[in-house]
Amino acid sequence: MKVLTEQKFSANSQEEMAKFAKALAHPTRLEILRLFSTQSCCFTGDLVEVLPIAQSTVSQHLKELKNAGLIQGEIDAPKIKYCINQENWRKAKLLFAAFFE
């Protein structure tokens, strides 16, 4: 019972972890992150060519990942170039690792 009462994570850490978990809770978003992990950056159009879904759906998934802070976008008119947000990616890995210890 002691384990249940210990406060291993601060409320802020729990909020961040929940935000990351929500973004990771869809197979397409996991695939997008896997693709990003194999290259330095990617344009939306490149993802549309690889993923079997519509451009608007890809954009929605990118929006969720960006809102969670797991990716970042840079406007390179008329396109947007995306990559993994390395700082938040490391933070997410640390939070999940600590949670599953």
Side-chain angles (χ1 to χ4, degrees):
M1 198 58 127
K2 182 181 176 188
V3 173
L4 294 176
T5 59
E6 288 181 18
Q7 202 168 12
K8 191 170 185 175
F9 296 103
S10 69
N12 188 42
S13 293
Q14 289 174 345
E15 292 281 331
E16 278 189 303
M17 192 170 161
K19 179 178 67 171
F20 294 145
K22 180 182 176 195
L24 295 171
H26 195 284
T28 300
R29 292 194 285 269
L30 292 174
E31 178 62 10
I32 289 170
L33 288 170
R34 187 194 68 74
L35 291 168
F36 283 1
S37 73
T38 65
Q39 50 200 13
S40 61
C41 67
C42 187
F43 291 100
T44 307
D46 298 332
L47 290 172
V48 172
E49 290 177 15
V50 175
L51 299 172
I53 55 178
Q55 189 274 329
S56 59
T57 306
V58 170
S59 294
Q60 284 294 85
H61 286 301
L62 291 170
K63 180 181 174 184
E64 288 293 324
L65 290 168
K66 189 173 180 187
N67 286 344
L70 292 172
I71 65 170
Q72 55 196 23
E74 180 181 307
I75 297 174
D76 189 9
K79 302 176 183 180
I80 301 177
K81 179 172 49 174
Y82 290 97
C83 64
I84 289 178
N85 180 321
Q86 294 298 326
E87 181 181 337
N88 285 341
W89 188 248
R90 278 189 292 279
K91 187 184 296 184
K93 287 184 348 183
L94 290 172
L95 285 170
F96 283 107
F99 180 78
F100 287 113
E101 280 187 345

